[in-house]
Amino acid sequence: MSDTNTADEEGIRPGEIAMDLPEEFDAGVYFIGRIRTPWASRKECPHRGEIDGPVCTIEVDPRWQAALEGIEGRERLLVLYWMGLARRDIVLQRPRRKDRLAGAFALRSPVRPNPIAAAVVRLEAVEGRFLKVRGLDCVDGTALVDIKPEFSPAERKCDEAEGP
Amino acid sequence: MSDTNTADEEGIRPGEIAMDLPEEFDAGVYFIGRIRTPWASRKECPHRGEIDGPVCTIEVDPRWQAALEGIEGRERLLVLYWMGLARRDIVLQRPRRKDRLAGAFALRSPVRPNPIAAAVVRLEAVEGRFLKVRGLDCVDGTALVDIKPEFSPAERKCDEAEGP
């Protein structure tokens, strides 16, 4: 990594642009559970999750357990989670290992106005309110925001015709 | 549609279960723009967006325009948006046109603890802070939450090797 890609103490790299954030939020998010992974810090996390990566555990809070009804048998899920460690104001960024600036919306970086990550995972098992999945890339303890079934185009047609 | 699938005035159908929501939110979301679609009400919206559906316009607020740098040339994007008209407390649901109950996390329903929708769209054009895309399914004026590049597995390898 070159010097120009080293962030300063505030986490800004040369050429990056930080915006003033709005004074108020427009909506609120509930954390609905936690994600358990083998990675204790951001440094240890893979650059991006792999569908055949290690098994991680999604722990859904007891309050929301009924919302898992019918999830067993789904092959792939879209998981949304909250990357709460990241700055939200850096719109133009210098990605690590890259030599040019790019906007937050052109990157999968955790640094973005709303630090919501999205990962497609493979569902391996459902044990009560715990889901065993492969394909995540986040720090152990990351807050869970949503779980949705993920369909391939062929599955979508099928689901519209007959599935729940 | 049968009577048992007709929601009452509160929007609850027979057999559905509503939870008490937590007293406080855990995190806040900024609306970063608006989505313009041909559909003025939820009734008019397609059941799910099609990648070759009508062209819609994503309007990014001027504050965040710099975050679009480098998005041109991306073929597919993942768009997150806020389904603010939906209830957030119905964990067990009776989907329209289905005869059994299913949990919110086993459905793509807008009714969920965090009403964040995710759609993969095809990027047709970038005109300043306006993106022309196909693949959305939401009401005109829907609040925008995030835009990310979406990669196929092959593209992912390519991006890790050389992309921005």
Side-chain angles (χ1 to χ4, degrees):
Chain A
M1 192 192 294
S2 73
D3 279 337
T4 56
N5 271 359
T6 305
D8 68 13
E9 284 178 8
E10 274 78 47
I12 289 255
R13 299 190 182 103
E16 291 189 336
I17 294 178
M19 298 301 299
D20 288 333
L21 292 172
E23 288 180 14
E24 295 187 351
F25 293 118
D26 296 295
V29 163
Y30 301 118
F31 293 162
I32 59 168
R34 294 275 158 192
I35 299 176
R36 297 295 166 196
T37 76
W39 307 295
S41 70
R42 275 173 67 176
K43 272 186 193 166
E44 296 168 54
C45 292
H47 178 57
R48 212 177 281 152
E50 297 287 341
I51 204 82
D52 50 5
V55 172
C56 300
T57 303
I58 296 175
E59 299 183 3
V60 173
D61 286 345
R63 180 194 297 266
W64 306 111
Q65 185 171 350
L68 292 172
E69 180 68 30
I71 207 167
E72 206 153 2
R74 292 290 189 194
E75 193 183 342
R76 292 189 309 155
L77 303 173
L78 180 67
V79 179
L80 303 184
Y81 45 99
W82 193 263
M83 298 174 290
L85 301 171
R87 285 180 65 139
R88 301 175 65 164
D89 59 343
I90 307 181
V91 286
L92 200 60
Q93 303 175 27
R94 185 182 295 276
R96 269 184 300 174
R97 299 178 290 183
K98 306 281 163 73
D99 61 359
R100 50 180 163 143
L101 293 164
F105 303 147
L107 299 167
R108 299 284 294 210
S109 159
V111 175
R112 50 206 318 113
N114 295 304
I116 301 167
V120 175
V121 302
R122 191 162 66 204
L123 179 60
E124 300 281 350
V126 180
E127 298 167 5
R129 60 189 181 83
F130 303 93
L131 307 184
K132 301 291 185 182
V133 304
R134 295 180 194 269
L136 290 170
D137 58 7
C138 59
V139 173
D140 185 46
T142 295
L144 179 67
V145 171
D146 200 8
I147 304 169
K148 303 174 190 293
E150 171 75 8
F151 306 100
S152 68
E155 286 170 312
R156 286 171 54 154
K157 298 245 179 289
C158 194
D159 177 73
E160 279 163 22
E162 30 167 336
Chain B
M1 193 190 296
S2 72
D3 278 338
T4 57
N5 271 359
T6 305
D8 69 12
E9 284 178 6
E10 274 78 47
I12 289 255
R13 299 190 182 103
E16 291 190 336
I17 294 179
M19 297 301 300
D20 288 334
L21 292 171
E23 287 181 13
E24 294 188 349
F25 293 118
D26 296 296
V29 163
Y30 302 118
F31 293 162
I32 60 168
R34 293 275 157 192
I35 299 175
R36 296 297 166 195
T37 75
W39 308 294
S41 70
R42 276 173 68 177
K43 272 186 193 166
E44 296 168 55
C45 293
H47 178 59
R48 211 176 281 152
E50 297 288 341
I51 204 79
D52 49 6
V55 173
C56 301
T57 303
I58 296 174
E59 299 183 3
V60 173
D61 286 344
R63 180 194 297 266
W64 306 112
Q65 185 172 349
L68 292 172
E69 180 69 29
I71 208 167
E72 205 152 3
R74 292 291 190 193
E75 193 184 340
R76 293 190 307 155
L77 303 174
L78 180 67
V79 179
L80 303 184
Y81 45 99
W82 193 263
M83 298 174 290
L85 301 172
R87 284 180 68 140
R88 301 175 66 163
D89 59 343
I90 306 180
V91 287
L92 200 61
Q93 303 174 28
R94 185 182 294 276
R96 268 183 300 173
R97 297 179 291 183
K98 307 281 162 74
D99 61 359
R100 48 180 165 144
L101 293 164
F105 302 148
L107 299 168
R108 299 284 295 211
S109 160
V111 175
R112 50 206 316 114
N114 295 303
I116 302 168
V120 175
V121 303
R122 191 163 68 204
L123 179 60
E124 300 281 350
V126 181
E127 298 166 4
R129 61 189 180 82
F130 302 93
L131 307 184
K132 301 290 185 182
V133 304
R134 295 180 195 269
L136 290 171
D137 58 8
C138 59
V139 173
D140 185 46
T142 294
L144 179 66
V145 171
D146 200 10
I147 304 169
K148 305 173 190 292
E150 171 77 8
F151 306 101
S152 69
E155 286 169 314
R156 286 171 57 154
K157 297 245 179 291
C158 198
D159 178 73
E160 279 164 21
E162 32 167 332

